[in-house]
Amino acid sequence: MKIHKNIVLPLLACLIATSSVNSQTTNEDPREIFMSGLILRIQKKGMFHTNMINLSKSFPDSSYGIFAKGYLNLNQSKYEDCIADFEKAIKNNSNDIYLSRESFFYKGICNFDISKYDEAIEDFTKVLEFKEGQEPSETYINALLERSKVYNRIKKYDLAKEGISEVIESLKKNKKLIQYYDYEQYHVDRISLNYTLKNYAAALEDCDWLIKESKDKKDLGYFYRGQFKYKLLDDPEGGYEDYLKAAQTNPKNFAALATIVEVLNKKGEYKKIPSYLTLAIKVKPQLGVLYYARGYFYAQLGDRVNSCKDMRESLKYSSEDVERDSEGYYSMDHLPGANSFINVNCR
């Protein structure tokens, strides 16, 4: 599980430093180093990590030095050691809510990484039980995100969705934090969860939100809405129109392009297909099956020159991992078919 490094604690602006703290050259106590380190973490420049190294070396026996040791053990994948360190840090200084909250948070990550999911849920829940101000903190939001990941891993999708929904609502309440999170992606995640839970109306609401509000994922709103219309709501034409809008909004949306090809093939509108395969090739130029597919449709249109050209081009690329590389849209080994086509038609 990814460690969030953008956790900042409120009401600590006076502690912001411009460089990592070295206790050997300052009179700061370990708590000051710990607190300023938390603020430095939001800069994402490795300053928090450096502070934790200095803290573990300069105050190894303090609760804060033990916390730093746990953090460093986590980064080295020493999960059992990091859990022990965080538990010790909590026990030694249970009165510091910031130390306890961060210790439970990172201990939750350790437990997740060794598949102790119940323990991870318990840790993240303890983080959420600490009293919050009027605006949700980053630590609170991160704990919600991590707990949702655990619920998703153990297939408790309803609880995962509740967590993502609370993240979205929390960021609405504390809008200054949105810049540090992939806010739009959470709407995408909730579409997926609602699809799994068969809450199609709720999923469509997030699709519409992406279409109206998103800066970077508008095409996903169109694409997923198209999927619902085409496959679930008996509106194939409406779905097809949304696929087209997705591709127009983002010509690099491979899923939209591949789906358009699929729909056009079913409709028998072969003349339109090569242009969309050309766009798909621009997105994934190393995917040989795309050249094969375009060559096949050129052949259907009687264009022998371009069909042979594409079939030969397809032979330059491996057919291994085609399903993975094509995002699940193609699974065939194109090489035998391409060789056979060339032998019969391109001599």
Side-chain angles (χ1 to χ4, degrees), residues 277-290:
L277 284 168
T278 298
L279 292 173
I281 288 170
K282 289 181 179 179
V283 179
K284 296 182 180 289
Q286 305 301 315
L287 197 56
V289 71
L290 295 177

Side-chain angles (χ1 to χ4, degrees), residues 211-229:
I211 291 168
K212 294 176 182 177
E213 304 293 339
S214 175
K215 295 180 180 179
D216 301 318
K217 294 180 169 61
K218 194 181 297 290
D219 61 305
L220 295 181
Y222 282 123
F223 176 72
Y224 289 124
R225 191 175 73 177
Q227 292 283 69
F228 284 109
K229 288 180 179 180

Side-chain angles (χ1 to χ4, degrees), residues 128-252:
L128 299 174
E129 289 172 351
F130 284 96
K131 186 176 180 180
E132 287 289 304
Q134 292 183 343
E135 295 181 336
S137 70
E138 290 183 84
T139 304
Y140 183 87
I141 293 170
N142 284 333
L144 283 172
L145 284 170
E146 299 297 349
R147 192 174 67 171
S148 289
K149 290 178 184 177
V150 182
Y151 283 138
N152 193 54
R153 175 66 63 86
I154 62 178
K155 299 183 180 181
K156 292 187 177 182
Y157 300 119
D158 54 337
L159 295 176
K161 190 200 77 170
E162 287 180 13
I164 292 297
S165 294
E166 191 172 350
V167 168
I168 291 171
E169 292 305 312
S170 295
L171 289 171
K172 286 181 181 178
K173 294 177 183 177
N174 196 350
K175 293 184 178 179
K176 65 179 179 289
L177 296 182
I178 288 180
Q179 63 181 306
Y180 303 115
Y181 292 88
D182 197 348
Y183 181 65
E184 296 180 1
Q185 181 60 42
Y186 305 142
H187 288 272
V188 176
D189 294 340
R190 193 162 64 177
I191 290 171
S192 177
L193 289 166
N194 274 318
Y195 171 79
T196 300
L197 294 167
K198 298 184 179 180
N199 295 332
Y200 303 138
L204 285 169
E205 288 180 5
D206 274 318
C207 291
D208 290 338
W209 185 91
L210 288 170
I211 291 168
K212 294 176 182 177
E213 304 293 339
S214 175
K215 295 180 180 179
D216 301 318
K217 294 180 169 61
K218 194 181 297 290
D219 61 305
L220 295 181
Y222 282 123
F223 176 72
Y224 289 124
R225 191 175 73 177
Q227 292 283 69
F228 284 109
K229 288 180 179 180
Y230 193 90
K231 297 184 177 182
L232 297 171
L233 301 178
D234 195 26
D235 183 11
E237 285 304 315
Y240 175 58
E241 289 176 7
D242 276 339
Y243 296 146
L244 292 175
K245 290 176 182 177
Q248 291 166 1
T249 304
N250 179 12
K252 294 183 179 180

Side-chain angles (χ1 to χ4, degrees), residues 10-282:
L11 306 178
L12 300 175
C14 62
L15 294 175
I16 296 179
T18 57
S19 62
S20 63
V21 178
N22 187 331
S23 64
Q24 295 177 351
T25 60
T26 74
N27 294 320
E28 288 188 292
D29 65 27
R31 187 176 191 276
E32 290 176 338
I33 300 173
F34 169 76
M35 297 297 274
S36 59
L38 292 178
I39 293 176
L40 291 169
R41 179 167 49 185
I42 199 172
Q43 298 178 9
K44 300 180 182 179
K45 296 180 180 179
M47 305 295 286
F48 174 73
H49 186 83
T50 299
N51 256 33
M52 292 302 102
I53 292 175
N54 291 336
L55 189 56
S56 68
K57 290 180 178 179
S58 301
F59 297 96
D61 298 324
S62 72
S63 300
Y64 306 99
I66 294 168
F67 168 89
K69 181 182 175 184
Y71 169 83
L72 296 172
N73 277 328
L74 172 56
N75 276 262
Q76 296 172 25
S77 301
K78 297 178 179 178
Y79 300 118
E80 298 292 348
D81 291 338
C82 83
I83 290 171
D85 289 331
F86 291 131
E87 288 178 345
K88 186 176 181 181
I90 295 167
K91 182 178 179 180
N92 287 2
N93 195 346
S94 60
N95 293 326
D96 189 330
I97 62 171
Y98 296 116
L99 176 65
S100 294
R101 184 164 63 175
E102 296 301 323
S103 295
F104 279 122
F105 177 75
Y106 283 111
K107 187 160 77 78
I109 293 175
C110 294
N111 276 316
F112 179 91
D113 285 343
I114 56 175
S115 302
K116 291 185 176 181
Y117 300 128
D118 289 340
E119 290 86 345
I121 290 170
E122 182 179 351
D123 287 330
F124 295 131
T125 300
K126 286 181 179 177
V127 174
L128 299 174
E129 289 172 351
F130 284 96
K131 186 176 180 180
E132 287 289 304
Q134 292 183 343
E135 295 181 336
S137 70
E138 290 183 84
T139 304
Y140 183 87
I141 293 170
N142 284 333
L144 283 172
L145 284 170
E146 299 297 349
R147 192 174 67 171
S148 289
K149 290 178 184 177
V150 182
Y151 283 138
N152 193 54
R153 175 66 63 86
I154 62 178
K155 299 183 180 181
K156 292 187 177 182
Y157 300 119
D158 54 337
L159 295 176
K161 190 200 77 170
E162 287 180 13
I164 292 297
S165 294
E166 191 172 350
V167 168
I168 291 171
E169 292 305 312
S170 295
L171 289 171
K172 286 181 181 178
K173 294 177 183 177
N174 196 350
K175 293 184 178 179
K176 65 179 179 289
L177 296 182
I178 288 180
Q179 63 181 306
Y180 303 115
Y181 292 88
D182 197 348
Y183 181 65
E184 296 180 1
Q185 181 60 42
Y186 305 142
H187 288 272
V188 176
D189 294 340
R190 193 162 64 177
I191 290 171
S192 177
L193 289 166
N194 274 318
Y195 171 79
T196 300
L197 294 167
K198 298 184 179 180
N199 295 332
Y200 303 138
L204 285 169
E205 288 180 5
D206 274 318
C207 291
D208 290 338
W209 185 91
L210 288 170
I211 291 168
K212 294 176 182 177
E213 304 293 339
S214 175
K215 295 180 180 179
D216 301 318
K217 294 180 169 61
K218 194 181 297 290
D219 61 305
L220 295 181
Y222 282 123
F223 176 72
Y224 289 124
R225 191 175 73 177
Q227 292 283 69
F228 284 109
K229 288 180 179 180
Y230 193 90
K231 297 184 177 182
L232 297 171
L233 301 178
D234 195 26
D235 183 11
E237 285 304 315
Y240 175 58
E241 289 176 7
D242 276 339
Y243 296 146
L244 292 175
K245 290 176 182 177
Q248 291 166 1
T249 304
N250 179 12
K252 294 183 179 180
N253 187 323
F254 181 82
L257 296 170
T259 304
I260 290 170
V261 170
E262 180 182 324
V263 173
L264 290 173
N265 186 37
K266 289 180 179 178
K267 295 171 70 173
E269 297 183 15
Y270 303 131
K271 289 183 179 180
K272 297 179 181 179
I273 292 178
S275 63
Y276 287 103
L277 284 168
T278 298
L279 292 173
I281 288 170
K282 289 181 179 179

